[in-house]
Amino acid sequence: MTDTAAAAASADLLATARRIALAVSATALEQRRRGVSVAATKSTPIDIVTAVDRDTEERIRAMILDARPDDGIFGEEEDVHVGTSGLNWVVDPIDGTVNLLYDIPAWSVSIAVVDGPPDPEHWNAIAGVVVNPVSGEVYEASLGGGARLGDRELRIDQDVALDRALVATGFAYSLERRRSQADVLMHVLPRIRDLRRIGSAALDLGAVAAGRLDAFYETGLNPWDHAAGGLIVREAGGRVGGLRGEHESDRMLVAAAASVFDQLTEVLEGAGA
């Protein structure tokens, strides 16, 4: 496939992902306005699922299969759908479910298309969309096509020092992992401008791309948490990876401008992350 053909294919996939994300976001927002309650728990009693999560993923899957019946689907709430095209849609129907439950306006729908298996160490992300249904903001990117917030092209500020960086993080649902995350945080906090905990990794990554944050790090993320957001950061000129030269994974994801990335990973490694 030529570069021109690849760019056109990426743009088409992005358009489909955007259309689906916007449609399900509108429905999810209407459900939130009618009221939300916990439907079930998953890994721990504080790892919750709502009917909105399940309904939104069902709608996303149906719309993907209608538009792209040969593609695979890898989502948070349902089993993997195995495709034959080599492309996989990596879906987080609601990223920030606790925020949704409490009506905090920082939750999102995240949809990405990757070439290869649904594994960050082996896929090549092609298109990604993150929508905040409450604000209506749409972060998006396609491979080689740049990143945007609405109509605004995104380029990360490359001239930021760690001690002037606004950094975001998140915390696991495992209490044991939270203890280790708190220990690491005590090493990070004295070395940065300030810290934010927003509650949606997808929105955190979009905020890094948009310059609202200078960096984001978290352990325990799943592929669907960062598939779209990671591409958006990279296409905005940022770096995404793990520690000690590794790919991003559930062990660690760091996203930042190049000027901050090495400094932050050094601090995290020194803290035993």
Side-chain angles (χ1 to χ4, degrees):
M1 183 181 292
T2 66
D3 290 345
T4 301
S10 296
D12 287 345
L13 288 166
L14 177 59
T16 301
R18 183 194 311 115
R19 174 178 60 82
I20 294 171
L22 287 171
V24 301
S25 292
T27 302
L29 183 59
E30 181 57 35
Q31 289 177 286
R32 169 56 266 182
R33 288 169 175 162
R34 293 199 299 267
V36 174
S37 60
V38 176
T41 60
K42 296 187 289 185
S43 60
T44 72
I46 56 176
D47 185 6
I48 63 170
V49 179
T50 71
V52 181
D53 294 80
R54 292 172 172 172
D55 292 348
T56 302
E57 183 158 326
E58 287 178 4
R59 296 190 70 237
I60 291 171
R61 284 174 177 256
M63 294 178 76
I64 291 170
L65 292 174
D66 182 60
R68 306 273 310 182
D70 297 329
D71 294 352
I73 305 172
F74 182 61
E76 181 174 10
E77 307 303 340
E78 297 186 27
D79 293 336
V80 175
H81 171 78
V82 179
T84 59
S85 68
L87 297 181
N88 280 286
W89 293 68
V90 185
V91 174
D92 195 343
I94 303 293
D95 187 50
T97 299
V98 173
N99 285 348
L100 172 78
L101 178 67
Y102 283 84
D103 202 16
I104 297 170
W107 50 277
S108 61
V109 175
S110 175
I111 301 176
V113 188
V114 303
D115 184 7
D119 176 353
E121 296 190 30
H122 299 100
W123 75 37
N124 188 32
I126 298 173
V129 177
V130 175
V131 177
N132 180 331
V134 182
S135 69
E137 290 186 320
V138 180
Y139 298 94
E140 63 178 51
S142 60
L143 183 62
R148 289 166 297 282
L149 172 55
D151 295 330
R152 177 164 70 92
E153 296 287 333
L154 300 180
R155 294 302 301 173
I156 288 176
D157 183 0
Q158 299 294 344
D159 188 23
V160 179
L162 183 61
D163 63 358
R164 296 294 181 269
L166 183 62
V167 179
T169 192
F171 302 105
Y173 291 113
S174 161
L175 298 184
E176 187 59 37
R177 178 168 264 180
R178 282 187 174 186
R179 291 187 184 97
S180 65
Q181 289 174 323
D183 291 339
V184 170
L185 180 60
M186 295 304 293
H187 287 78
V188 173
L189 193 53
R191 293 170 171 82
I192 62 176
R193 183 191 295 274
D194 206 349
L195 185 91
R196 295 292 180 268
R197 197 286 199 251
I198 293 170
S200 165
L203 291 180
D204 285 325
L205 290 163
V208 171
R212 294 172 175 174
L213 296 168
D214 297 305
F216 166 71
Y217 77 92
E218 188 170 347
T219 58
L221 291 176
N222 294 294
W224 50 77
D225 295 315
H226 59 83
L231 176 63
I232 293 166
V233 171
R234 286 190 170 103
E235 287 293 322
R239 289 178 61 185
V240 183
L243 301 183
R244 304 169 186 88
E246 294 183 350
H247 287 279
E248 65 272 22
S249 69
D250 63 342
R251 294 182 296 276
M252 177 63 75
L253 178 144
V254 181
S259 59
V260 176
F261 187 93
D262 289 335
Q263 298 174 71
L264 180 55
T265 54
E266 183 178 351
V267 171
L268 291 168
E269 290 168 9

